[in-house]
Amino acid sequence: MTTQALTFNRADQLWRVRARAADRDTRQLSSNRPVPADAYALLDHRTRETLVLQDVAPAGRYLAVEHDGRTRLISLSRPITHIGRGLIADVRLEDPHVSRRHAIIAIRGDGPDAVRVLDDRSSGGTFVNGSAVTVAQLHDGDIVRVGRVAFRYTEIAPQLRRNRALRRIPLGARRERRSGSVAAA
């Protein structure tokens, strides 16, 4: 084959690939439905430094991010946490699909409906479990999507700890106490 024939052959192959791509249904690929992205990669360096591994996290409320097969947590320790692309955001994302002031997570009290997510007039919207919301209650396991980034809301319950070790009572002392012989002493 000559060089001209090889060039024509490659051009023909390229045209066929483009034609097949044009035949695909592209209605779902729009700016309204951005392709999900790796949340960890889009986190600001300041936010990445505050992440805690789920295995060693203390009790509290968190936004969970998956990275390298491990779950890392963003603490929601303040009453109001701002999520966005702007410099004032507590959880800062470097993503053009995220508004400078995108969403707010507000915590009021300790009850089951204490945590809410509010859309902060973002252009792309805030989604909880796939539904667009302006205000929504968050419960353990809910998925919050901001732009192309998805977080899982996680609550870690405090573990019950005993302040002192359990005392061992010898079996013989218990029987004496019941019979009343120890009461006279």
Side-chain angles (χ1 to χ4, degrees), residues 51-65:
L51 294 177
V52 179
L53 287 173
Q54 186 173 12
D55 306 335
V56 296
R61 297 177 170 117
Y62 299 93
L63 290 178
V65 175

Side-chain angles (χ1 to χ4, degrees), residues 16 63-64 76 81 89 106 124 165 176 184:
R16 286 182 186 160
L63 290 178
L76 300 174
T81 303
E176 290 175 7

Side-chain angles (χ1 to χ4, degrees), residues 93-123:
L93 299 164
E94 296 173 348
D95 181 13
H97 292 94
V98 175
S99 299
R100 284 178 287 180
R101 293 175 47 188
H102 200 102
I104 297 171
I105 295 182
I107 301 173
R108 296 177 90 188
D110 291 328
D113 294 332
V115 182
R116 297 186 307 166
V117 63
L118 300 96
D119 184 62
D120 198 6
R121 298 176 307 201
S122 65
S123 59

Side-chain angles (χ1 to χ4, degrees), residues 75-153:
S75 178
L76 300 174
S77 57
R78 301 171 80 190
I80 294 184
T81 303
H82 294 272
I83 301 172
R85 195 182 38 158
L87 294 174
I88 63 159
D90 300 313
V91 178
R92 189 164 179 264
L93 299 164
E94 296 173 348
D95 181 13
H97 292 94
V98 175
S99 299
R100 284 178 287 180
R101 293 175 47 188
H102 200 102
I104 297 171
I105 295 182
I107 301 173
R108 296 177 90 188
D110 291 328
D113 294 332
V115 182
R116 297 186 307 166
V117 63
L118 300 96
D119 184 62
D120 198 6
R121 298 176 307 201
S122 65
S123 59
T126 302
F127 298 83
V128 175
N129 296 329
S131 301
V133 298
T134 52
V135 177
Q137 301 290 334
L138 288 181
H139 302 285
D140 192 20
D142 285 347
I143 304 296
V144 179
R145 187 170 64 82
V146 175
R148 297 185 303 161
V149 179
F151 298 106
R152 184 171 34 86
Y153 174 71

Side-chain angles (χ1 to χ4, degrees), residues 172-185:
R174 274 183 89 188
R175 286 190 187 143
E176 290 175 7
R177 192 185 257 169
R178 283 189 186 160
S179 64
S181 60
V182 176

